[in-house]
């Protein structure tokens, strides 16, 4: 597709379960970012992949959060043992080195 | 601490009014972005600035590097401009964005 896609668009899970969120960046974009937007809050950075370099994980809020990017393309954000405070919209963005970031539609996660 | 401050937090305007949203940041940056987020949640990049001024339709963005300040202006505002406008900066290269908390704009017909 022409833009960044994310799946699922909505996810409801029970506290303690693991979830996986997927991001398909724009083809050819070397940089991929995960952000989180909690209800009523601003966007916060989670993790960043640039090419084959080691990812910048400095924004991950706990060791329950992890992400990988396979083949320099698709990325998966995994949250283990979900907690209610993990409820948020998880946004993925990519850029091709021109500094403009293109955002996906987000995954709305609700932890009950 | 690297912060991005936006003002106002909320803004209600009558259709046709000229609107200004402000953004200030604390340290040098490589680029500043203005983003628009509609109620459905999708985020669209409006402008990326490193100096000067850019215009697209009724939207104008300016940046003053020395004063570490940017403004987003909307001329002849319309109800469809209602959205959250977010200022974000990059400190260098292809690094993650640091976001302001956003300005919620409501334009009333």
């Amino acid at each position: 597709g022409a833009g960044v896609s994310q799946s699922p668009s909505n996810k409801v899970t029970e506290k303690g379960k693991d979830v996986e969120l997927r991001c398909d960046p724009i083809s050819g974009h070397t940089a991929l970012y995960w952000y989180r937007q909690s209800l009523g809050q601003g966007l916060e950075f989670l993790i960043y992949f640039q090419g084959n370099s080691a990812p910048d994980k400095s924004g991950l809020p706990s060791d329950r959060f992890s992400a990988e990017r396979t083949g320099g393309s698709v990325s998966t954000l995994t949250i283990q043992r979900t907690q209610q405070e993990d409820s948020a919209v998880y946004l993925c963005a990519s850029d091709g080195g021109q500094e403009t970031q293109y955002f996906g539609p987000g995954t709305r996660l609700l932890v009950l | 601490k690297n912060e991005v401050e936006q003002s106002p937090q909320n803004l209600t305007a009558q259709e046709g009014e000229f609107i200004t949203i402000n953004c200030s940041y604390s340290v040098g940056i490589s680029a500043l972005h203005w983003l628009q987020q509609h109620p459905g949640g999708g985020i669209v990049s409006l402008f990326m600035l490193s100096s000067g001024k850019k215009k697209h339709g009724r939207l104008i963005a300016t940046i003053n590097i020395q004063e570490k300040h940017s403004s987003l202006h909307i001329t002849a505002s319309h109800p469809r401009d209602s959205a959250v406008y977010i200022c974000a900066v990059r400190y260098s290269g292809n690094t993650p964005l640091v976001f302001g908390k956003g300005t919620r704009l409501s334009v009333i017909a």
Side-chain angles (χ1 to χ4, degrees):
Chain A
V4 178
S5 61
Q6 292 185 245
S7 61
S9 54
N10 292 280
K11 176 72 177 179
V12 180
T13 191
E14 293 179 349
K15 177 181 172 181
K17 295 286 180 70
D18 297 352
V19 295
E20 285 190 351
L21 313 180
R22 177 187 168 105
C23 172
D24 283 86
I26 292 172
S27 178
H29 279 190
T30 56
L32 186 148
Y33 310 81
W34 283 99
Y35 300 101
R36 176 170 75 172
Q37 186 174 36
S38 301
L39 185 63
Q41 302 297 312
L43 285 144
E44 60 174 328
F45 161 69
L46 296 177
I47 187 169
Y48 156 55
F49 296 89
Q50 173 61 59
N52 295 321
S53 303
D56 177 354
K57 305 178 182 180
S58 60
L60 295 179
S62 80
D63 59 9
R64 295 185 296 103
F65 287 72
S66 62
E68 62 178 20
R69 188 179 185 192
T70 53
S73 180
V74 172
S75 177
T76 303
L77 176 69
T78 301
I79 308 173
Q80 295 178 310
R81 304 181 303 283
T82 52
Q83 303 295 310
Q84 288 181 331
E85 62 262 28
D86 300 335
S87 297
V89 177
Y90 289 82
L91 289 150
C92 173
S94 70
D95 75 52
Q98 302 301 314
E99 296 209 32
T100 297
Q101 290 194 12
Y102 297 87
F103 286 81
T107 294
R108 192 173 300 272
L109 174 66
L110 178 61
V111 182
L112 300 176
Chain B
K1 182 178 178 181
N2 299 337
E3 289 186 342
V4 180
E5 300 286 340
Q6 282 187 242
S7 63
Q9 290 186 353
N10 294 281
L11 180 58
T12 300
Q14 293 291 323
E15 182 174 0
E17 286 186 6
F18 180 82
I19 288 162
T20 296
I21 299 170
N22 296 299
C23 175
S24 61
Y25 51 94
S26 56
V27 299
I29 62 171
S30 66
L32 182 143
H33 298 247
W34 282 102
L35 310 171
Q36 181 191 55
Q37 185 173 32
H38 276 284
I43 293 177
V44 175
S45 179
L46 298 175
F47 294 104
M48 184 187 67
L49 294 162
S50 53
S51 65
K53 174 180 174 179
K54 288 189 176 180
K55 183 176 189 294
H56 185 258
R58 295 179 295 104
L59 301 178
I60 303 167
T62 63
I63 188 168
N64 184 316
I65 297 296
Q66 286 73 32
E67 295 187 2
K68 297 184 175 62
H69 180 269
S70 175
S71 293
L72 176 69
H73 305 285
I74 305 174
T75 61
S77 60
H78 190 276
R80 64 175 174 267
D81 297 326
S82 298
V84 176
Y85 292 85
I86 303 169
C87 173
V89 302
R90 297 182 95 151
Y91 293 106
S92 65
N94 284 8
T95 52
L97 294 173
V98 177
F99 300 89
K101 294 193 187 307
T103 295
R104 185 174 301 275
L105 171 65
S106 297
V107 181
I108 301 169

